[in-house]
Amino acid sequence: WMAKFECHFINGTEKVRYVVRGFYNREELVRFDSDVGRYVGLTPYAEKVARNLNSDPAEMERKRAAVDTICRHNYEVVTPFSVERR
């Protein structure tokens, strides 16, 4: 099991998108996108996992708040390595 966490900054911190992707055996199974606001399963089994994760209100609140607590909070640290290198 591996997870990949991504912050996508559009126009500085004005529009921020937080994406968490869950992989098993190099196949993406589950994805959380802050624009969608919930987990999405990409296989039949992962749909059950996503449904289970979406039913936990504390988990959903944590993921939705990650846009501010993770992405916007670390914007100043990430900017020199990502945004300004273009």
Side-chain angles (χ1 to χ4, degrees), residues 9-70:
F9 299 101
I10 302 151
N11 197 15
T13 58
E14 187 174 313
K15 174 74 172 133
V16 180
R17 183 174 169 214
Y18 178 66
V19 179
V20 179
R21 298 165 47 189
F23 296 88
Y24 184 75
N25 285 342
R26 298 182 184 178
E27 180 183 7
E28 185 177 5
L29 297 178
V30 181
R31 180 184 302 154
F32 176 85
D33 187 337
S34 63
D35 286 350
V36 176
R38 62 184 177 85
Y39 283 94
V40 176
L42 304 173
T43 66
Y45 171 73
E47 288 176 4
K48 294 176 187 175
V49 173
R51 201 170 324 135
N52 186 37
L53 290 168
N54 290 332
S55 68
D56 183 359
E59 172 69 13
M60 296 310 297
E61 183 61 31
R62 234 184 340 270
K63 289 296 179 197
R64 290 181 184 128
V67 170
D68 293 321
T69 60
I70 295 173

